[in-house]
Amino acid sequence: YHLHVRPGDTLIKEMGGLHKFMTWDGPILTDSGGFQIFSLAKLRKINEDGVKFNSHVDGRHIFMGPEESMRIQHELGADIMFAFDELTTLMNTRDYQERSVQRTHEWAIRCLAEHRRLTQARTEKPYQALFGVIQGAQYEDLRRQAARGLAELDVDGQSFDGFGLGGALE
């Protein structure tokens, strides 16, 4: 999110990716943007496609969904990327948390498909690992459901390389 908004993922790609931009030869991981969108962005509107929001920097309208998140992270050249997910708050109802886990799961499928497509289109670049994000807020059963669901995903031979634990805002 931050690098997409400023200085821009396209500029970083043109400069040779994050490693050259930062002059760092160690591993780099990037977040999907989900946390930043839900914690910083103003006037966000979420639906099954993704999230429409206004930049916290200049107020411009931005749309980000799973495919956009994957494209941005691929352009940045991170070694490890995270699938686009929805960050919730502890104030959301259980019903909302259930719908959010399902939405994050559907977005994960789309992330895997887009990651596979982008990886196949960039065979000259090193492989970038993709991690799924386990959501479910404070509900242990939802977290277990999310973990099982993500671990079982296989989209045309592409599955997650690892997993991260999502959180919830208070």
Side-chain angles (χ1 to χ4, degrees):
Y1 170 83
H2 291 290
L3 294 172
H4 175 64
V5 171
R6 182 178 50 196
D9 45 286
T10 302
L11 176 63
I12 291 174
K13 178 184 176 184
E14 290 170 1
M15 295 179 72
L18 278 176
H19 290 90
K20 287 188 180 176
F21 182 76
M22 295 171 50
T23 62
W24 171 256
D25 62 359
I28 297 175
L29 64 90
T30 52
D31 184 62
S32 69
F35 175 83
Q36 293 80 13
I37 291 168
F38 290 95
S39 63
L40 295 175
K42 303 283 189 249
L43 303 174
R44 64 183 173 268
K45 183 173 181 181
I46 185 169
N47 64 35
E48 302 313 308
D49 294 327
V51 184
K52 295 177 185 175
F53 60 96
N54 291 13
S55 164
H56 76 286
V57 173
D58 58 12
R60 72 182 159 106
H61 300 289
I62 301 174
F63 172 80
M64 190 175 299
E67 294 80 8
E68 291 79 12
S69 176
M70 290 295 92
R71 181 194 55 76
I72 291 166
Q73 292 182 83
H74 268 266
E75 286 192 354
L76 293 173
D79 300 296
I80 299 172
M81 305 178 295
F82 281 88
F84 194 60
D85 63 309
E86 180 184 4
L87 175 69
T88 59
T89 75
L90 296 176
M91 306 313 287
N92 291 118
T93 65
R94 166 132 185 144
D95 180 59
Y96 189 90
Q97 299 291 0
E98 289 171 357
R99 287 183 283 133
S100 176
V101 165
Q102 183 58 40
R103 180 180 295 118
T104 293
H105 183 86
E106 295 301 321
W107 286 353
I109 294 168
R110 291 170 51 196
C111 284
L112 284 168
E114 186 67 1
H115 175 60
R116 182 176 188 273
R117 187 187 74 74
L118 292 169
T119 298
Q120 290 175 341
R122 300 166 38 118
T123 56
E124 75 286 357
K125 301 282 186 182
Y127 179 74
Q128 296 169 274
L130 178 60
F131 282 33
V133 182
I134 299 165
Q135 290 293 2
Q138 68 268 41
Y139 301 103
E140 182 180 348
D141 62 318
L142 291 181
R143 286 196 174 272
R144 288 181 185 275
Q145 172 191 328
R148 277 191 304 273
L150 293 175
E152 294 170 357
L153 280 180
D154 182 304
V155 177
D156 296 325
Q158 179 70 56
S159 56
F160 287 113
D161 299 296
F163 302 93
L165 295 176
L169 293 175
E170 287 189 41

